[in-house]
Amino acid sequence: MDTHIIIPSQTYAEKARHLLNRYRYSFRLQKTVTQEGCVYRLTVSAPPDAVLPLLTANGIPCRQERS
């Protein structure tokens, strides 16, 4: 199961990358341009109830992308 997460800045995307590497999650990080500006799309091979609490507990603002 893949979870798609939106992260609002490059700084937080880098923090998320380090955190997910530390916990050995498989993921892809991609810069995406929207009407509001640049965001980072994180695709993690894990369920959202495992990933989202980990990111928010570490101060990384994020939201799950709806399909």
Side-chain angles (χ1 to χ4, degrees), residues 7 9-30 40-44 51 54-55 58 60:
I7 298 177
S9 74
Q10 181 177 1
T11 301
Y12 287 122
E14 283 299 311
K15 289 181 179 184
R17 185 178 66 80
H18 289 294
L19 181 67
L20 294 174
N21 275 332
R22 185 175 344 136
Y23 284 88
R24 300 187 188 273
Y25 281 102
S26 176
F27 65 91
R28 290 186 317 271
L29 186 60
Q30 178 181 10
Y40 290 80
R41 184 174 191 250
L42 183 63
T43 303
V44 184
V51 178
L54 177 64
L55 294 173
N58 284 277
I60 299 170

Side-chain angles (χ1 to χ4, degrees), residues 30-54:
Q30 178 181 10
K31 183 178 180 179
T32 304
V33 179
T34 66
Q35 289 180 342
E36 295 82 28
C38 294
V39 295
Y40 290 80
R41 184 174 191 250
L42 183 63
T43 303
V44 184
S45 297
D49 60 340
V51 178
L52 291 170
L54 177 64

